[in-house]
Amino acid sequence: MRALLVSDIHANLEALEAVLAAAPPHDVVWNLGDIVGYGANPNEVIDVSRRLGQIFVRGNHDRACSGLGGIEEFNPIAQRAARWTEAVLTGDHREWLRHLAAGPIAPDGPQVSCVHGSPLDEDEYLLTVRDAWPSLHDAQAHITFFGHTHVQGGFATNGDEWFRLAPRYSGSRGDAVEFELPLREGARYLLNPGSVGQPRDGDWRAAFALYDDAQRLLTWYRVPYDLREAQQRILNAGLPDRLASRLREGR
Ligand code: ZN
């Protein structure tokens, strides 16, 4: 079974289309949430996402943009984007977002889990080994896929030692690249495919991953996309300028 992992698309249609064009053959799509918020094409991105599969975890922006709460905790720019998104969503899409399941969900038996933030709290940011330790320690699943930080990488433990994981890419920032991580028997993993639509790890390219359970292999990918078009749509929509400029920075 090969699962395509996507997270934090954030209504960036150009980035999602580039990911799907570059994605290797896969059997299922596991979507780790924040489908909308920030970007200019929430309805189109929901349509494409729904066609791809049934495994979805709700993100904090999916919750806020569909009126389920949490918007007051956002910074002013994120609040403006969430209010804009809620206003332009079709009724059907709003209802669909409202019914997404909060994680953790088990898409393929008890060994693998999908969450938005962490297994313990859907809004928690796992940015450091210290953040990750309680989740890795308590997790029932051997592999937990998470998003929310918009940082491609993850954490692992073999019981004694703790590791921070990150892909190491070569080539220029204009290339499509991939990095393979063999998954060891007996180790526990927290793995983030990165953000499709608003990376924050200093690399502007759209991020995603492929999990192959038979080969026990995770592959991280980065692909260029039509950044200018995504930025222009944000500006044309009247969304905050910063949401366009940060896409170039990957911050
Ligand atoms: Zn997000």
Side-chain angles (χ1 to χ4, degrees):
M1 189 271 312
R2 286 155 66 92
L4 181 71
L5 286 148
V6 294
S7 190
D8 298 279
I9 303 167
H10 282 291
N12 186 334
L13 184 62
E14 286 71 29
L16 178 59
E17 286 176 341
V19 163
L20 297 178
H26 52 273
D27 307 301
V28 285
V29 178
W30 297 346
N31 188 320
L32 307 180
D34 277 4
I35 299 157
V36 301
Y38 297 135
N41 290 90
N43 287 308
E44 294 82 353
V45 163
I46 290 174
D47 280 333
V48 174
S49 299
R50 287 173 76 168
R51 282 202 295 275
L52 293 175
Q54 300 87 40
I55 302 295
F56 294 92
V57 181
R58 173 179 82 184
N60 52 318
H61 285 258
D62 304 323
R63 199 175 67 218
C65 294
S66 61
L68 285 178
I71 198 168
E72 61 289 339
E73 283 145 42
F74 284 4
N75 67 46
I77 287 177
Q79 282 195 14
R80 264 181 69 193
R83 295 216 165 83
W84 178 89
T85 303
E86 190 173 6
V88 302
L89 280 176
T90 68
D92 176 48
H93 288 160
R94 187 169 185 272
E95 276 309 297
W96 181 78
L97 283 175
R98 288 173 75 93
H99 288 91
L100 290 180
I105 61 169
D108 188 40
Q111 302 295 341
V112 177
S113 174
C114 290
V115 304
H116 183 63
S118 93
L120 305 174
D121 178 351
E122 64 180 318
D123 293 337
E124 183 182 11
Y125 288 91
L126 300 181
L127 286 162
T128 66
V129 172
R130 185 182 287 262
D131 298 334
W133 187 86
S135 294
L136 273 178
H137 193 261
D138 293 350
Q140 299 296 308
H142 289 189
I143 302 172
T144 300
F145 295 109
F146 72 103
H148 195 41
T149 61
H150 301 207
V151 176
Q152 194 173 46
F155 308 94
T157 180
N158 58 14
D160 300 322
E161 297 167 290
W162 303 81
F163 304 94
R164 188 186 180 109
L165 308 170
R168 290 186 300 276
Y169 297 126
S170 50
S172 92
R173 283 285 164 85
D175 295 338
V177 288
E178 58 186 79
F179 183 87
E180 291 186 346
L181 177 77
L183 302 172
R184 295 197 189 150
E185 207 77 53
R188 285 171 183 274
Y189 292 92
L190 277 164
L191 297 169
N192 189 330
S195 168
V196 171
Q198 196 200 72
R200 294 180 196 160
D201 47 14
D203 185 337
W204 69 275
R205 294 171 293 186
F208 67 101
L210 187 83
Y211 167 60
D212 185 325
D213 69 341
Q215 291 201 58
R216 292 196 62 80
L217 187 69
L218 183 91
T219 309
W220 278 303
Y221 297 83
R222 297 307 275 249
V223 292
Y225 70 94
D226 191 343
L227 180 73
R228 289 231 178 111
E229 179 67 22
Q231 291 178 314
Q232 196 58 54
R233 286 189 201 239
I234 285 171
L235 299 175
N236 291 348
L239 284 159
D241 294 1
R242 175 70 193 135
L243 295 176
S245 63
R246 72 184 300 174
L247 293 181
R248 161 65 72 195
E249 298 161 24
R251 294 283 174 206

